[in-house]
Amino acid sequence: MAKHAEKIAILGVQWGDEGKGKLVDLLSAGFLNVVRFQGGNNAGHTVVVGGKAIALHQIPSGVLHPSCFLVVGSGVVINLEGFRQEMEKLKALGIEVLGRLMLSSGAHIILPYHIALDKWRESFAGRIGTTGRGIGPAYETKAARIGVRLGDLQNQHGLLERIANLHKEIGLIMGGQEALPSPEAVLADLNSLSTPLLPCIGDTHEYLFNSWKKGESILFEGAQAAMLDIDHGTYPFVTSSSCSIGGLFTGTGLPPKALHKVIGVAKAYATRVGEGPFPSELDGPIGESLRQAGHEFGTTTGRPRRCGWFDAVMARHACQLNGADGLCLMKLDVLDGLDRVGIVKEYRHKDSKNVIGSPFSIREWDNIEPVIEYFDGWRQPVKGVDKWGGLPAQAKKYVKAIEEFIETPIAYVSTGPDRETGLLAPRSCLKGLL
Ligand code: IMP
């Protein structure tokens, strides 16, 4: 496909795992640059090519297209051992990453101390259910201005001292440094892991600014999703980065006017991993059948995902937050065979029964009673359908109802895990790009 000049962001509007990887992989063929701008190896983007699933955690999902240049912005936190493993897995598939990769010198490094602190905290009651990858602590030391950045590996003046300070501080929090590797050992590991990457570390802001000015196409790949956003999600049951639109600008340094379109991504139902509010959760057999049919087990941790009906209140809120021009609705085929399918169309207060919007405080979520509208299921499966006209009438009705409830046009409907399976919706803003 010929390259164009568009700059498009792909952002999750639920609790992550919406299928952003498939979409980015699909769109990447037409883009010169694919950019990650927040999150770390807590993300797990599965792309399926020729029936083979590949899980990506830190490397942008555009990697499967050899013509894509891959950029990791300063808003990302990096696990160097994870990065090495991912590059090796790709190499075994004949996919080379070095030579078409740029990592921001400002991206913070996840150290073993961060991982230890994350796991230590998660051992107490009131846990968040994190991925245990050290993401929160890495962003904490970034904000405290005591973190270690990729650029520090190129000029190591004072680096050992910084690592030693973190060793001391995190050791104190955890009540002992014994279990933590020594600063010298950590630095030695960082040096050996980063050796092949050193030529790729640079000023990604400058690179992206120049790409924008040259009129090159750029695809921005979000990780996690709006409801896990540190500011706008279901705090404290969130991740530690800005997973909605704001994070794109801080995590790349590009201004809002560099962007043409924002595409939200949601599953045709909802899932969540870890603790926290989930008003449309289905605890019983329907939830279990969605989990099995949708293979709803975490790409990063293997944990079973909680499953529920599509929550239009939440998705509308997230689309508004991101200024979404369109929504890609993924995994519609997982609903094949159900007698009926539900959509949460509003929230009501448990006692007063008044309609309320998406709550801001965690305590308010306890007062939510979801109002669910049910639609007939479809007998003829949607799996593999590749044209809007090929969808059964009930499935069209369901998709159109979502479009109406969330006040955002549906752009694309995915009808199977493979790259090829899906269709453009009638009002799609992705026409000409997919
Ligand atoms: P953390 O990002 O590891 O700190 O985890 C915080 C919360 O975000 C937990 O509930 C995780 O399960 C969730 N989370 C983090 N990354 C992802 C993701 O990529 N998909 C789904 N949930 C995620």
Side-chain angles (χ1 to χ4, degrees):
M1 189 198 278
K3 308 279 180 190
H4 42 72
E6 298 254 353
K7 324 282 179 281
I8 295 186
I10 304 291
L11 301 173
V13 301
Q14 294 168 316
W15 282 289
D17 309 316
E18 294 93 350
K20 297 181 288 292
K22 165 172 170 168
L23 200 66
V24 172
D25 170 51
L26 195 61
L27 281 162
S28 298
F31 282 80
L32 270 171
N33 301 287
V34 182
V35 184
R36 272 283 304 268
F37 52 86
Q38 49 69 230
N41 62 335
N42 49 348
H45 293 167
T46 308
V47 286
V48 182
V49 188
K52 201 173 160 70
I54 304 170
L56 301 167
H57 300 281
Q58 303 183 91
I59 296 180
S61 303
V63 68
L64 304 184
H65 297 277
S67 58
C68 283
F69 191 78
L70 312 168
V71 181
V72 176
S74 62
V76 171
V77 288
I78 303 233
N79 180 310
L80 287 172
E81 170 56 22
F83 212 90
R84 184 191 66 76
Q85 288 178 12
E86 230 170 291
M87 284 200 303
E88 252 175 33
K89 270 191 211 151
L90 288 162
K91 200 171 186 158
L93 296 168
I95 301 166
E96 193 51 74
V97 177
L98 295 174
R100 57 187 184 109
L101 170 74
M102 189 170 194
L103 302 165
S104 168
S105 56
H108 280 245
I109 301 173
I110 303 172
L111 300 175
Y113 309 143
H114 296 127
I115 300 171
L117 180 57
D118 191 4
K119 290 186 175 156
W120 179 78
R121 283 201 187 122
E122 286 288 297
S123 67
F124 298 109
R127 67 182 64 85
I128 288 167
T130 71
T131 58
R133 300 287 168 106
I135 305 299
Y139 279 110
E140 282 169 51
T141 52
K142 172 179 178 171
R145 296 152 296 169
I146 54 172
V148 175
R149 312 203 294 175
L150 284 178
D152 296 332
L153 297 173
Q154 291 172 313
N155 175 353
Q156 301 204 353
H157 179 72
L159 179 56
L160 184 61
E161 199 182 352
R162 284 177 87 76
I163 297 174
N165 287 342
L166 280 168
H167 177 240
K168 196 164 158 190
E169 186 165 329
I170 293 182
L172 278 172
I173 296 174
M174 292 172 55
Q177 289 159 288
E178 305 78 35
L180 300 176
S182 72
E184 290 76 13
V186 168
L187 183 54
D189 270 355
L190 292 185
N191 278 330
S192 79
L193 289 167
S194 63
T195 304
L197 293 173
L198 286 181
C200 309
I201 299 173
D203 185 344
T204 49
H205 166 252
E206 186 186 35
Y207 172 82
L208 288 171
F209 183 82
N210 288 334
S211 295
W212 170 39
K213 287 292 151 189
K214 280 189 274 180
E216 290 182 4
S217 52
I218 312 177
L219 188 61
F220 299 93
E221 174 181 7
Q224 292 82 47
M227 300 317 281
L228 289 173
D229 184 289
I230 182 83
D231 283 275
H232 303 287
T234 49
Y235 190 93
F237 301 100
V238 293
T239 189
S240 298
S241 64
S242 301
C243 329
S244 34
I245 193 71
L248 186 156
F249 304 114
T250 53
T252 61
L254 286 178
K257 65 184 170 190
L259 199 61
H260 292 128
K261 265 180 209 151
V262 179
I263 310 294
V265 189
K267 275 178 199 161
Y269 48 101
T271 62
R272 160 158 224 176
V273 224
E275 310 302 317
F278 187 177
S280 69
E281 184 165 12
L282 293 160
D283 294 323
I286 299 179
E288 186 53 34
S289 80
L290 289 176
R291 187 172 306 115
Q292 295 304 329
H295 308 290
E296 296 297 354
F297 298 88
T299 315
T300 303
T301 58
R303 290 179 289 177
R305 296 178 183 142
R306 300 156 65 191
C307 297
W309 295 129
F310 185 89
D311 186 332
V313 181
M314 185 181 80
R316 182 175 56 230
H317 173 69
C319 284
Q320 285 170 0
L321 193 64
N322 287 315
D325 296 286
L327 181 82
C328 294
L329 197 63
M330 313 303 280
K331 292 183 125 176
L332 184 66
D333 54 300
V334 172
L335 302 178
D336 279 350
L338 291 179
D339 291 335
R340 61 175 195 171
V341 283
I343 300 177
V344 173
K345 61 173 189 178
E346 58 193 26
Y347 293 159
R348 284 184 187 265
H349 193 281
K350 230 169 22 194
D351 304 322
S352 72
K353 307 292 178 203
N354 288 337
V355 175
I356 45 179
S358 189
F360 199 73
S361 121
I362 198 69
R363 275 163 296 280
E364 289 171 47
W365 283 97
D366 291 339
N367 299 324
I368 291 293
E369 208 170 65
V371 179
I372 300 171
E373 184 164 334
Y374 289 97
F375 296 81
D376 288 339
W378 39 92
R379 292 231 152 122
Q380 175 203 337
V382 304
K383 194 171 183 77
V385 172
D386 59 3
K387 282 190 187 54
W388 176 256
L391 289 177
Q394 297 88 341
K396 280 187 197 157
K397 193 171 171 193
Y398 178 70
V399 174
K400 280 189 184 158
I402 289 180
E403 187 172 70
E404 243 168 65
F405 286 141
I406 65 169
E407 297 165 17
T408 305
I410 299 294
Y412 171 83
V413 180
S414 174
T415 56
D418 269 309
R419 208 184 243 170
E420 300 77 25
T421 43
L423 53 101
L424 285 175
R427 296 171 60 203
S428 181
C429 60
L430 289 175
K431 279 182 189 155
L433 293 170
L434 264 183

